Amino acid sequence: MPEIPAGLKWIPATDDEKMTEYLEVAFGNDGNVYIRENINPEKVVVTTDAKWDAFVLGVQAGEFDHFVEGIED
């Protein structure tokens, strides 16, 4: 598992100040993307910039919409 760089800028995946649990994403200078839960920051998932970009494009294209069918806002 890659070492988690110090000084990452963690970006919350929400702008809703009422949310107490959410994901945070950080982009390293090493070509990796780091993902964690704000309530469990010591557990970090690491992926590459290329895989992150493919995931984001898939979300934008609706490829994962079936995971949230029936969930109310």
Side-chain angles (χ1 to χ4, degrees), residues 34-48:
Y34 300 86
I35 307 164
R36 69 182 186 184
E37 294 177 313
N38 71 309
I39 60 168
N40 202 3
E42 65 279 356
K43 292 186 179 179
V44 178
V45 175
V46 182
T47 192
T48 65

Side-chain angles (χ1 to χ4, degrees), residues 11-48:
I11 304 165
T14 182
D15 57 0
D16 185 350
E17 294 179 9
K18 295 178 185 175
M19 290 194 69
T20 58
E21 297 181 25
Y22 48 86
L23 294 178
E24 297 177 317
V25 179
F27 300 91
N29 293 330
D30 57 359
N32 287 323
V33 178
Y34 300 86
I35 307 164
R36 69 182 186 184
E37 294 177 313
N38 71 309
I39 60 168
N40 202 3
E42 65 279 356
K43 292 186 179 179
V44 178
V45 175
V46 182
T47 192
T48 65

Side-chain angles (χ1 to χ4, degrees), residues 3 5 18-19 22-23 41 51-52 56 61 64-65 67 69-70:
E3 188 80 20
K18 295 178 185 175
M19 290 194 69
Y22 48 86
L23 294 178
K51 289 178 184 174
W52 175 257
V56 170
F64 303 101
D65 289 356
F67 289 115
E69 287 177 5

